[in-house]
C-alpha cells in the first residue's frame, strides 16, 4: 500500500469518526433527536430526518464550495470557462466564431461534487484565492452554526417546540457534513485526488503557479477552439511542471519524435519523490507506450521479461485501466506481450465508453493516441 493510499484511508476514517462522534454525543442520547415529539413517537422518522438533512448538507456544502472556488478564481485574475455543480454545468463554448454561454444538465465532472475550469486573464494570475476562499466558507458555516444554536437555546427556554428542535438538529447534521468536507478538502497532502490543501502547498512555490497558469491557458485554447500556445518545458520537476511538460511529450509522440519525448519523460521520472505517487505511476505507463512505439511493436523476449518485472503497482495501474491515458498502454501490452485478442476487444469497448464519459480536455488527443496504438497492433497481425 502506497503512502497516498494510507493517508486517504486515514482521512476517510477521520470523516467517519466525526460522523460517529456527533451521532453518539448529540443526536442519539436522551435530549437528542428523541426530544422531537414526532420522532419520539415514530423512531423510523429519525432515520428519515437524518437522511434528508445529510442530503441537504451535501447539497449546501457542495454548492457553496464550488461557488467560493469561482469567486476566488475571479479575485485571483482568472476567467471562468466552466462551472459544474452536481451535473448542472454552465460553460463557455465557441460557436460561429463567437464565445457563448451554454447550460447542460447531467454533465459529468472530475471532482467530488463539482468542477470549475478557469483560464488566467494575465500572466501573474494568483490561484491562491480560489483554494483559500472555500475555507472561508467553512469558517462562516461554523460561525453561523454557533449563532443558530445560541439563538435556539435562548428561545427554547420559553418554547421548546418541535420546529426549533428540528432546526437545531438539522443545523448540527448539515454543519457536520461541512466539517467532513473541510477535513477531506484541506489535508495538505496528496491523497486519492488533488485537494485544495495540497494545492496550497504546491502554490507556495512560484514555479508551480507559473506551470499551473500555462497549463490552464493551453487547456483553454482547446476548450475554445483557439490556436494552442507553444510549450516550453520546465527543467525543474514538480507535480505541476510535470503535468505541463506532459503536454509537450504528447505533442512529440504525435510527431513521432520519440527520442525527445523519452528525454523529457526521463527527466520527470528520474526522481520519483518530486511528484506524487499517482503521477509517477501514470507517467511510467506513458514511458512504456513510447518504448513500444519506438520499437514499432517489435518486442523481443528480453523486453517482455523486462515488462513482467516492472513494479507491481505500475503493472496493476495498467491492467486496471485506471485512467483514460492507460487504455492505449494496456491495448499494446495485452496485444503484443500477452497476445490476447479477446482482451483487445474488451479494451476497445471499455475505452469507447470511458472516452464518451470523460471530462478531460485532452480526450480527443487520447483518442488519437489510442487509435495509433490500435493501428500498430493491427499491422502486426
Amino acid at each position: 500500500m502506497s503512502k497516498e493510499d494510507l493517508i486517504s484511508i486515514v482521512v476517510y476514517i477521520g470523516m467517519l469518526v466525526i460522523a460517529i462522534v456527533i451521532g453518539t454525543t448529540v443526536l442519539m442520547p436522551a435530549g437528542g433527536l428523541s426530544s422531537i415529539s414526532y420522532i419520539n413517537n415514530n423512531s423510523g422518522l429519525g432515520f428519515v430526518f437524518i437522511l434528508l438533512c445529510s442530503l441537504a448538507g451535501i447539497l449546501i456544502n457542495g454548492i457553496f464550495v464550488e461557488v467560493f472556488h469561482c469567486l476566488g478564481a475571479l479575485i485571483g485574475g482568472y476567467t471562468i470557462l466552466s462551472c459544474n455543480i452536481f451535473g448542472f454545468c454552465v460553460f463557455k463554448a465557441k460557436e460561429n466564431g463567437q464565445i457563448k454561454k451554454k447550460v447542460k444538465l447531467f454533465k459529468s465532472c472530475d471532482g467530488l461534487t463539482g468542477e470549475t475550469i478557469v483560464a488566467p486573464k494575465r500572466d501573474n494570475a494568483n490561484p491562491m484565492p480560489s483554494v483559500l476562499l472555500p475555507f472561508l466558507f467553512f469558517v462562516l458555516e461554523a460561525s453561523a452554526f454557533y449563532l443558530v444554536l445560541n439563538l435556539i437555546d435562548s428561545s427554547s427556554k420559553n418554547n421548546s417546540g418541535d420546529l426549533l428542535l428540528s432546526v437545531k438538529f438539522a443545523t448540527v447534521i448539515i454543519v457536520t457534513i461541512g466539517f467532513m468536507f473541510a477535513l477531506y478538502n484541506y489535508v495538505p497532502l496528496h491523497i486519492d485526488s488533488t485537494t485544495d490543501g495540497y494545492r496550497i502547498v504546491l502554490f507556495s512555490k512560484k514555479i508551480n503557479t507559473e506551470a499551473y497558469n500555462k497549463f490552464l491557458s493551453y487547456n483553454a485554447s482547446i476548450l475554445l477552439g483557439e490556436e494552442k500556445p507553444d510549450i516550453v518545458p520546465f527543467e525543474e520537476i514538480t507535480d505541476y511542471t510535470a503535468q505541463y511538460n506532459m503536454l509537450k511529450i504528447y505533442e512529440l509522440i504525435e510527431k513521432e519524435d520519440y527520442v525527445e519525448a523519452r528525454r523529457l519523460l526521463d527527466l520527470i521520472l528520474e526522481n520519483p519523490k518530486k511528484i506524487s505517487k499517482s503521477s509517477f505511476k501514470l507517467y511510467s505507463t506513458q514511458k512504456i507506450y513510447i518504448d513500444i512505439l519506438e520499437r514499432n511493436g517489435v518486442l523481443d523476449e528480453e523486453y517482455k521479461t523486462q515488462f513482467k518485472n516492472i513494479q507491481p503497482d505500475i503493472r496493476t495501474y495498467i491492467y486496471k485501466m485506471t485512467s483514460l491515458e492507460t487504455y492505449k498502454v494496456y491495448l499494446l501490452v495485452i496485444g503484443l506481450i500477452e497476445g490476447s485478442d479477446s482482451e483487445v476487444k474488451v479494451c476497445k469497448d471499455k475505452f469507447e465508453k470511458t472516452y464518451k464519459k470523460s471530462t478531460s480536455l485532452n480526450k480527443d488527443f487520447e483518442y488519437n493516441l489510442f487509435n495509433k496504438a490500435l493501428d500498430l497492433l493491427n499491422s502486426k497481425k
Side-chain angles (χ1 to χ4, degrees):
M1 181 182 294
S2 69
K3 181 181 176 182
E4 289 176 14
D5 293 333
L6 181 60
I7 294 171
S8 298
I9 291 172
V10 171
V11 169
Y12 285 121
I13 290 174
M15 294 169 70
L16 184 61
V17 167
I18 290 174
I20 292 173
V21 168
I22 296 299
T24 55
T25 61
V26 180
L27 301 179
M28 294 299 105
L33 286 179
S34 59
S35 61
I36 304 175
S37 62
Y38 62 83
I39 290 178
N40 188 45
N41 296 331
N42 186 342
S43 59
L45 289 177
F47 172 77
V48 175
F49 181 87
I50 292 173
L51 178 62
L52 292 177
C53 291
S54 296
L55 290 174
I58 291 171
L59 285 171
I60 291 169
N61 284 282
I63 290 170
F64 276 98
V65 164
E66 217 56 50
V67 167
F68 275 65
H69 272 146
C70 290
L71 290 174
L74 293 173
I75 292 170
Y78 296 85
T79 182
I80 309 297
L81 299 180
S82 171
C83 182
N84 187 334
I85 305 176
F86 293 111
F88 178 80
C89 185
V90 180
F91 62 99
K92 293 178 181 179
K94 198 167 189 178
E95 204 173 79
N96 300 322
Q98 292 184 326
I99 305 297
K100 296 183 179 179
K101 288 184 179 179
K102 293 191 172 186
V103 176
K104 186 174 181 179
L105 294 175
F106 309 115
K107 185 176 175 62
S108 58
C109 64
D110 183 20
L112 190 62
T113 57
E115 178 185 21
T116 299
I117 299 175
V118 301
K121 291 190 286 188
R122 57 179 189 268
D123 291 339
N124 64 341
N126 183 3
M128 275 297 192
S130 68
V131 293
L132 288 173
L133 223 57
F135 187 77
L136 174 61
F137 162 69
F138 292 126
V139 172
L140 293 174
E141 185 179 36
S143 301
F145 168 64
Y146 180 77
L147 179 62
V148 167
L149 288 191
N150 278 341
L151 288 173
I152 290 175
D153 286 342
S154 298
S155 301
S156 63
K157 292 177 181 178
N158 300 318
N159 178 16
S160 56
D162 284 349
L163 178 59
L164 284 178
L165 289 173
S166 297
V167 171
K168 174 181 178 178
F169 290 115
T171 303
V172 169
I173 294 170
I174 290 170
V175 174
T176 299
I177 299 292
F179 288 159
M180 294 165 71
F181 269 56
L183 174 62
Y184 179 89
N185 198 39
Y186 282 98
V187 173
L189 300 165
H190 193 282
I191 50 177
D192 54 5
S193 65
T194 305
T195 62
D196 285 337
Y198 186 59
R199 288 190 180 98
I200 290 171
V201 174
L202 292 177
F203 291 146
S204 63
K205 292 186 66 174
K206 184 178 179 181
I207 192 171
N208 283 324
T209 299
E210 184 183 352
Y212 177 72
N213 284 338
K214 288 185 175 182
F215 181 81
L216 292 179
S217 295
Y218 187 92
N219 279 344
S221 69
I222 296 174
L223 191 67
L224 300 177
E226 298 173 348
E227 184 178 351
K228 297 175 185 176
D230 292 333
I231 301 172
V232 180
F234 289 88
E235 291 297 320
E236 182 181 344
I237 298 301
T238 67
D239 265 329
Y240 275 127
T241 60
Q243 182 184 47
Y244 179 72
N245 285 5
M246 284 303 299
L247 297 174
K248 184 65 176 181
I249 290 169
Y250 287 143
E251 284 189 355
L252 292 168
I253 292 173
E254 198 170 38
K255 296 175 182 176
E256 299 186 355
D257 187 351
Y258 303 127
V259 173
E260 181 61 12
R262 175 191 289 278
R263 186 191 74 80
L264 290 176
L265 198 48
D266 284 341
L267 183 66
I268 293 173
L269 297 173
E270 67 180 5
N271 191 343
K273 292 183 179 180
K274 289 186 176 181
I275 56 178
S276 66
K277 182 65 176 178
S278 56
S279 296
F280 180 78
K281 288 190 286 189
L282 173 61
Y283 301 150
S284 295
T285 65
Q286 304 309 293
K287 185 175 180 180
I288 293 169
Y289 179 76
I290 293 173
D291 284 343
I292 295 175
L293 288 183
E294 195 171 18
R295 288 171 167 81
N296 196 30
V298 179
L299 308 179
D300 55 24
E301 288 304 318
E302 182 182 354
Y303 182 82
K304 292 180 181 180
T305 302
Q306 180 184 334
F307 170 78
K308 291 175 181 178
N309 290 329
I310 63 172
Q311 295 177 30
D313 56 342
I314 295 174
R315 184 182 174 88
T316 301
Y317 193 83
I318 295 171
Y319 277 74
K320 283 187 175 180
M321 292 178 276
T322 311
S323 64
L324 189 67
E325 293 88 349
T326 57
Y327 280 89
K328 61 183 182 290
V329 186
Y330 180 72
L331 180 72
L332 292 175
V333 167
I334 207 66
L336 297 175
I337 296 178
E338 303 289 347
S340 174
D341 291 338
S342 60
E343 276 299 313
V344 167
K345 186 179 184 305
V346 170
C347 179
K348 288 164 62 178
D349 292 340
K350 286 185 176 180
F351 175 79
E352 289 293 339
K353 292 177 182 177
T354 305
Y355 170 77
K356 289 176 182 177
K357 294 178 182 179
S358 175
T359 60
S360 170
L361 295 178
N362 290 318
K363 60 185 287 188
D364 291 334
F365 189 69
E366 280 298 327
Y367 186 85
N368 293 336
L369 294 183
F370 184 86
N371 283 327
K372 190 181 187 73
L374 188 60
D375 290 341
L376 177 60
L377 191 59
N378 289 333
S379 72
K380 299 304 172 185
K381 291 184 178 180

